[in-house]
Amino acid sequence: MIALPFTLLHLDAHLIAADKPPGLLAVPGRGPDKADCLWTRVRAVHADALVVHRLDMGTSGLLLLARGIDVQRALGRAFEKRQVDKRYEAVVQGLPAHDSGEVELPLLVDWPNRPRQQVNFVKGKPSLTRWRVMARDEGLGRTRLELQPITGRSHQLRVHLAAIGHPILGDELYATPEAFAAAPRLLLHARELRLAHPASGEPLHLHCAAPF
């Protein structure tokens, strides 16, 4: 197997953090044409790397991998118990009226239109996103946001922002045609993770600057 390039952000005896480029799967999909992914690339160099969490194919940024099953379980529990502070950066259509806010809308998979998700007040799972304006571009009518997903539902940030009228630019599933055409990629980036190191318990801050 040829070890294709990837950018390593952190490496120690217990965990690995890598920068996932946009357009690359986090884990393998179905079929040989979807075998290439960040996990496969990392595992070609560090064979003990195990998946802890995922990013959408179009999303770039920080992906955390465990080295060994015990660390994978510990990190999995930390994510499940919301002990990992996740911060994303996005550029969205429009100019929010406020400088910060919350979106609390329950989400459910849209089965006939998978992988799309939808807001569903009857069967949806509770989902909460906090957002903060980083910069407004009044000339282009777009805004750069910091996003903090409190829950971790599939496509949560994308659906929540579209639901409040500020879809992420370049989003092929949830943006308006205008917002989709406004960027060559999904302008969503996993920028920061803060957590307790699974071995030492010391605070660990991982950072990966947005490339847009």
Side-chain angles (χ1 to χ4, degrees):
M1 178 184 294
I2 299 174
L4 296 172
F6 61 90
T7 300
L8 202 62
L9 301 170
H10 177 90
L11 174 67
D12 64 34
H14 306 281
L15 55 85
I16 300 166
D19 180 7
K20 189 188 84 64
L24 178 68
L25 291 167
V27 297
R30 293 182 180 179
D33 60 322
K34 296 181 176 63
D36 183 27
C37 64
L38 184 63
W39 179 42
T40 301
R41 295 184 185 189
V42 173
R43 194 173 53 173
V45 181
H46 304 286
D48 57 352
L50 296 172
V51 175
V52 176
H53 66 123
R54 304 182 183 191
L55 296 175
D56 294 345
M57 184 174 178
T59 304
S60 58
L62 269 167
L63 191 75
L64 195 61
L65 298 139
R67 304 192 71 180
I69 189 67
D70 291 338
V71 178
Q72 183 191 41
R73 289 171 178 162
L75 290 173
R77 286 193 297 269
F79 274 92
E80 183 179 351
K81 295 179 179 179
R82 302 177 188 173
Q83 296 171 342
V84 180
D85 182 9
K86 299 169 286 185
R87 303 296 171 111
Y88 289 70
E89 199 166 313
V91 180
V92 303
Q93 185 180 48
L95 303 168
H98 303 286
D99 291 335
S100 62
E102 292 186 349
V103 185
E104 191 167 7
L105 294 169
L107 300 179
L108 183 72
V109 64
D110 184 357
W111 283 105
N113 300 297
R114 287 176 293 173
R116 286 181 60 93
Q117 308 291 312
Q118 62 180 330
V119 175
N120 188 304
F121 291 99
V122 178
K123 297 181 180 180
K125 295 181 179 180
S127 307
L128 175 61
T129 299
R130 292 178 180 146
W131 58 269
R132 179 182 66 83
V133 171
M134 298 177 67
R136 290 182 175 88
D137 188 330
E138 296 188 8
L140 292 176
R142 59 179 59 175
T143 304
R144 183 175 293 268
L145 297 179
E146 178 187 79
L147 305 171
Q148 182 185 17
I150 305 304
T151 51
R153 311 299 179 200
S154 181
H155 293 187
Q156 175 178 316
L157 300 177
R158 299 163 66 181
V159 179
H160 274 177
L161 289 166
I164 64 170
H166 297 291
I168 299 175
L169 301 187
D171 191 336
E172 62 181 350
L173 291 181
Y174 305 105
T176 62
E178 178 187 6
F180 171 59
R185 55 154 291 193
L186 176 69
L187 296 189
L188 178 62
H189 180 78
R191 191 188 68 199
E192 290 182 67
L193 290 172
R194 294 178 184 267
L195 65 154
H197 192 283
S200 68
E202 292 296 315
L204 178 64
H205 179 204
L206 302 169
H207 183 273
C208 180
F212 51 79

